[in-house]
Amino acid sequence: MTAANPPAPGDVDGLSFEQARDELVRVVAELEQGAPTLEESLRLWERGEALAARCEQWLVGAKQRLDAARAASTPPAGGVES
């Protein structure tokens, strides 16, 4: 990915958490260096927003899975322990 031609912002659905996170790190680094034009900065910003949203999806899903696993392993309230 280059500042001149970043992928489309919405093209993140197939990315794993790690892929989205790593690309987000690169996008932030490019933004911090300063893109040559305002248009390129806006494209990078939009891509970064899409990548951050994808990471958030993965994290929410992971939290739901952990909550479900905890609920399944917790005995019901008032239950008899052996």
Side-chain angles (χ1 to χ4, degrees), residues 62-81:
K63 182 181 183 316
Q64 290 171 345
R65 288 175 59 190
L66 288 172
D67 291 345
R70 279 192 204 120
S73 66
T74 304
V80 178
E81 292 186 33

Side-chain angles (χ1 to χ4, degrees), residues 30-51:
E30 285 188 55
L31 282 169
E32 287 175 342
Q33 291 175 0
T37 68
L38 177 59
E39 187 62 35
E40 288 175 32
S41 292
L42 289 172
R43 280 196 303 270
L44 284 169
W45 180 270
E46 290 169 350
R47 180 68 178 174
E49 287 290 326
L51 291 164

Side-chain angles (χ1 to χ4, degrees), residues 7-66:
D11 187 25
V12 297
D13 292 339
L15 296 178
S16 70
F17 173 79
E18 292 78 9
Q19 290 169 324
R21 180 202 57 210
D22 292 348
E23 187 177 338
L24 180 57
V25 167
R26 287 190 299 272
V27 166
V28 168
E30 285 188 55
L31 282 169
E32 287 175 342
Q33 291 175 0
T37 68
L38 177 59
E39 187 62 35
E40 288 175 32
S41 292
L42 289 172
R43 280 196 303 270
L44 284 169
W45 180 270
E46 290 169 350
R47 180 68 178 174
E49 287 290 326
L51 291 164
R54 181 64 177 154
C55 288
E56 182 70 16
Q57 287 175 334
W58 274 106
L59 292 172
V60 167
K63 182 181 183 316
Q64 290 171 345
R65 288 175 59 190
L66 288 172

